[in-house]
Amino acid sequence: MSGIHSIKPILPVLITLTTVFLIMASRRRPNLREFWSIAGSVGTFVAVLTMVPTVLQGEVLCFELSRIAPGLSFRFRVDGLGMVFGLISSFLWILASFYNIGYMRSLGEHAQTRYYACFSSAILGAQGVAYSGSLLTLYLFYEIITVVTYPLVAHHQDEEAYEAGKKYLFYLMGTSKGLLLPAMVLTYLLSGTLDFSPSIQEGILNQEGFWVTLTYWLFILGFAKAAIMPLHNWLPSAMVAPTPVSALLHAVAVVKAGVFSIARVMLSVFGLSLLERLGLGMWTAYFVSITIILASVIALTKDDLKERLAYSTISQLSYIVLGVALLSTMGITGGIFHIVGHALGKITLFFCAGAIYVAHHKKRISELSGIGYAMPFTMGAFALASLSMIGIPPVGGFVSKWFLVHGAMDVREMGIVIVLLVSALLNAGYFAPITFRAFFEGTERTFRLREAPLWMVIPLCATALLSLFVGFWPDLFVELVRSMR
Amino acid sequence: MGLFENPLPYDALSTIIFLPLSGALLILLFRGERAARVMALIFSLANLALSLPLLFLFDPSLSGFQFVELREWFPGLGLKYALGIDGISLPLVLLTVLLSPICVLCSWRAIEQRVRAFMFCLLLMETSMIGVFCSLDFVLFYIFWEGMLIPMYLLIAIWGGPRKDYASLKFFIYTLVGSVFLLVAIVALYLKQGTFFIPDLLFKSYDYRFQFWVFLAFAIAFAIKVPMFPFHTWLPAAHVEAPTAGSVFLASILLKMGSYGFLRFCFGLTPEAAQKLAPIIVILSIVAIIYAGFLCLGQQDMKRLIAYSSVAHMGFVTLGLFSFKLWGLKGAMLQMLNHGVTTGALFLCVGILYERTHSRLIADNSGLGKVMPWFVAFFGLFCFSSFGFPGTNNFVGELFVLLGAFETNKVMALFVIPGPILAAAYMLRLLKRTIWKDGETSPLEDLTLREVLYLLPLAVAVIWMGFAPRGILGLMESSLRLYLEAVKGAM
């Protein structure tokens, strides 16, 4: 096994696990319970940070938990790709923990212990997915995410929440059992191992044929958390969950676990050279292009703010897959950087949606005329994050789009460039009117001046500023991606 | 076929077979219900302790029978008192001795009438079950095989639920029909070879016509026991009406005798017929997996649901066996053990609920998340294990069976895939309805120490076999290879 053997890769998982138990143990003392959430998130982030210098040097950290049979093992492996996802999901958990407190307490939500425990468990799953060293490990944590987020989606326990929860499990569990499981079995039979390849050039599979191609598509569709059409419908329904869940989990941890897994399978199971030989890269790129355009068009029609954001997420997630599918350095860099760019922008947007709901109980975009006067900070952050989504410099989203367009031009695919440009226009088409409506329609007296609690406003301003920050200084994440060989 | 002597200074296998029986007889001598309970517990625990030397002294590199005891019994008929275990029977023996004290513990309060007779039956069951797995002589095997029938019948017929008469009779008739076919096969083999000694009968080349008929007789006997579709209809009735301990023995051990028989006798005695008729078994297995999955989705009674899920799980076992691949055989063996642990545990959980709410309906047992958190933790783990959640025992077993099935025929294997999806659907449905409820739940007592004590070993087994099954796999590997080569050689 190449790489440095170290216990560091499982530390974030262990810390999040401990946090879950501490949260459950202090269910009668809410302040202590919320302290554990924050302490756990900070501890996890620190544990993740300690791995960054090693990974930046191009090294890989490994830890093997157990081995079931030759090539079948539970193992952890941290490289640049895992580091990017691990860093962003653990860091945003800190901000979301504060935001959670503001949101849940302001609305006096029920079953808060369950909520916080499941929330931390979902991060556990995301951290595990990020540092998985084999398909088996990836599958384990991927499934953990599915089941622990169910109580969050169905949190309100009413008819609508149950329906959404049912749909959620049906899509996510159905695809993981029905498509991923056979894909893993086929991969093992074709290659003799499920452990990830140490190189992104050569994967563990190296033959061609019908079953290899089938396995590939089983994987692409099987990771339904990536919400690639036609398996996207669970995501808009999952918006019935409390907004912090939509923000951190359904814009960052859960959905990114899906696209991350797809990227991981493309790079570490199939490898760039095999995908090149099979010609699957471009097929994938055009396949997800449909999602990019179609989801944006649907987003235009949605009046419910969270639903519009959800369709925007569906569209943006496919950027990441598209980038990797270009199979060029620029494309991969852009795609993976978009994990960060989109995460910071979209979590801000959802935070804002939640803040609006807490402060003024508004959900519909058509009701937001003039809210910019009442909530200047929130809507300012919203405007900034929208710019990032559209891809206007110098906000984070611009960097990823720059790399993506560059990557598409490198491989001379003008079709993809056009898709990216049309999508940017559509993004502008559904984000700009919200900001415009908030600041330039209605009058100052439409809403009483009232911001959401500081617990919420500070995190959302922080994420908005951060998305500006990574637009200026994207180096860390770009270097992490480049460290993969 | 190697036979290896018993390295222990005493007859290890006879001891673990007859210790429960002597305990059973002792119970009859004493009066008092408490004494019966305590004595049953002591004897079953002692048996567990006495089987540990078997585990530690077992040599996994040998494929033949170990700890062999061989005595003349009835020389005129060629009968021998012959015992021995190999890598296939040892794990099943260990499962039996592990579950026996658990069954005693779970009946501690649930059984209030005729406690002595109940404990007598339990210990008698233990003797017969271990006997079946250890016998190397067909007559001895058949005696133990039939020996389970009566105590099991009594467990259902005396301590069963409202429809106990119907269920126990149905169980009795089905099993008896199976036994008749088993007897026919045994006699046919005796007439052919003039011996009942199993090692002398195994791996001989019989002509195909003979193999065909013997296989058919064996297959019917074992298919009823497993039970395979369409012979499964006795199972839900028996499970629903049986007391908890009866359900646990039934699901965890008795069903395994069918799959054990398939592996030991259909592979070892009639390999060519097994090869030729495998497609039928494979198709029936896949039908069982899918059909039982759909049935589970519609169940209102928890025990019925788990009973039907057993049919699906055992479908995986027979599918793995008849894939004729090492993955498939390993997976099948693992699934036998996993099913024993997980389904046994699920029946225990339903029993715990029944003691509190006196109902097995899902609707009467909902909203437990708030009132019985510890119970829900265990129950959740076992439900997850049951639908093959990664990191639990069933995941490894199912993965291995699927590896075997895909290795044999990829297109055919794709038809199995709806099975795991259905499993997730019905188990999650069950979990959601038991944990959550709209409105308030009336308070119920959470797990007692006794209940935690008997659930904990099973929970540990679920996780342990999910992450580190290599120890168990190592025990069985060389024996499985022997049987696999026998079947492959017959091609």
Side-chain angles (χ1 to χ4, degrees), chain A residues 15 40 45 80 110 148 154 167 217 275 277 281 310 368 445 482:
Chain A
I15 296 173
F45 180 60
H110 79 131
V148 299
K167 199 183 218 179
W217 288 108
L275 290 178
R277 267 185 289 146
L368 295 184
R445 273 165 298 167
R482 294 267 163 83

Side-chain angles (χ1 to χ4, degrees), chain A residues 134-279:
Chain A
S134 68
L135 271 173
L136 208 59
T137 326
L138 182 78
Y139 187 67
L140 165 69
F141 287 105
Y142 186 87
E143 292 283 71
I144 288 179
I145 295 180
T146 306
V147 294
V148 299
T149 46
Y150 172 81
L152 297 173
V153 172
H155 181 80
H156 293 304
Q157 290 182 246
D158 51 22
E159 204 58 45
E160 193 192 2
Y162 282 141
E163 269 315 302
K166 199 187 275 178
K167 199 183 218 179
Y168 190 75
L169 280 185
F170 180 79
Y171 272 81
L172 297 186
M173 202 57 112
T175 50
S176 72
K177 288 267 171 200
L179 304 173
L180 286 184
L181 194 60
M184 285 203 304
V185 171
L186 286 168
T187 306
Y188 187 80
L189 288 178
L190 292 167
S191 69
T193 181
L194 289 183
D195 297 344
F196 292 139
S197 155
S199 152
I200 63 168
Q201 300 299 330
E202 294 294 330
I204 55 176
L205 287 164
N206 50 23
Q207 62 267 62
E208 295 162 31
F210 168 74
W211 290 101
V212 178
T213 310
L214 178 74
T215 306
Y216 179 78
W217 288 108
L218 286 176
F219 273 124
I220 298 291
L221 292 172
F223 289 113
K225 291 201 175 86
I228 296 174
M229 285 181 178
L231 295 168
H232 65 288
N233 212 349
W234 61 272
L235 186 59
S237 307
M239 292 299 134
V240 299
T243 305
V245 174
S246 310
L248 182 61
L249 302 181
H250 295 132
V252 183
V254 176
V255 289
K256 297 283 156 50
V259 284
F260 172 86
S261 304
I262 290 182
R264 177 59 92 199
V265 164
M266 289 170 83
L267 297 175
S268 302
V269 173
F270 287 83
L272 296 177
S273 67
L274 179 65
L275 290 178
E276 194 79 55
R277 267 185 289 146
L278 291 168

Side-chain angles (χ1 to χ4, degrees), chain B residues 99-117:
Chain B
L99 285 171
S100 296
I102 291 175
C103 280
V104 174
L105 277 174
C106 81
S107 318
W108 208 260
R109 292 209 192 290
I111 302 299
E112 289 163 339
Q113 290 162 350
R114 305 202 204 182
V115 178
R116 286 163 64 224

Side-chain angles (χ1 to χ4, degrees), chain B residues 239-302:
Chain B
H239 268 316
V240 170
E241 302 306 327
T244 305
S247 292
V248 173
F249 269 155
L250 195 58
S252 302
I253 318 288
L254 263 63
L255 305 192
K256 306 302 157 335
M257 310 218 151
S259 44
Y260 171 80
F262 269 121
L263 178 55
R264 172 83 75 214
F265 302 125
C266 291
F267 279 40
L269 294 167
T270 60
E272 207 182 329
Q275 281 275 358
K276 293 247 168 72
L277 298 174
I280 301 174
I281 307 260
V282 167
I283 289 170
L284 288 180
S285 306
I286 296 177
V287 170
I289 294 172
I290 309 292
Y291 174 67
F294 277 112
L295 284 178
C296 285
L297 274 179
Q299 298 306 320
Q300 302 300 324
D301 183 311
M302 297 163 110

Side-chain angles (χ1 to χ4, degrees), chain B residues 346-416:
Chain B
L346 284 173
F347 278 123
L348 291 170
C349 287
V350 177
I352 288 170
L353 283 183
Y354 187 77
E355 279 181 50
R356 287 163 174 72
T357 61
H358 301 286
S359 168
R360 287 182 305 257
L361 294 182
I362 300 174
D364 294 336
N365 289 296
S366 56
L368 302 175
K370 287 209 172 112
V371 291
M372 297 176 74
W374 286 105
F375 171 82
V376 164
F378 278 104
F379 187 57
L381 176 69
F382 296 130
C383 282
F384 274 48
S385 155
S386 178
F387 77 83
F389 194 81
T392 65
N393 53 357
N394 273 283
F395 175 72
V396 183
E398 278 179 24
L399 182 66
F400 281 21
V401 170
L402 286 176
L403 281 171
F406 272 88
E407 205 178 348
T408 308
N409 186 341
K410 294 193 181 71
V411 178
M412 177 270 300
L414 285 176
F415 286 96
V416 187

Side-chain angles (χ1 to χ4, degrees), chain A residues 19-31:
Chain A
T19 310
V20 174
F21 284 114
L22 289 172
I23 288 172
M24 288 196 283
S26 38
R27 62 180 174 279
R28 296 190 204 293
R29 300 169 64 190
N31 285 342

Side-chain angles (χ1 to χ4, degrees), chain A residues 66-68 140 150 177-178, chain B residues 327 387-388 390 417 432 467 470:
Chain A
S66 76
R67 178 171 283 270
I68 292 175
L140 165 69
Y150 172 81
K177 288 267 171 200
Chain B
W327 285 117
F387 77 83
I417 295 304
K432 193 222 125 192
F467 279 99
R470 269 202 301 174

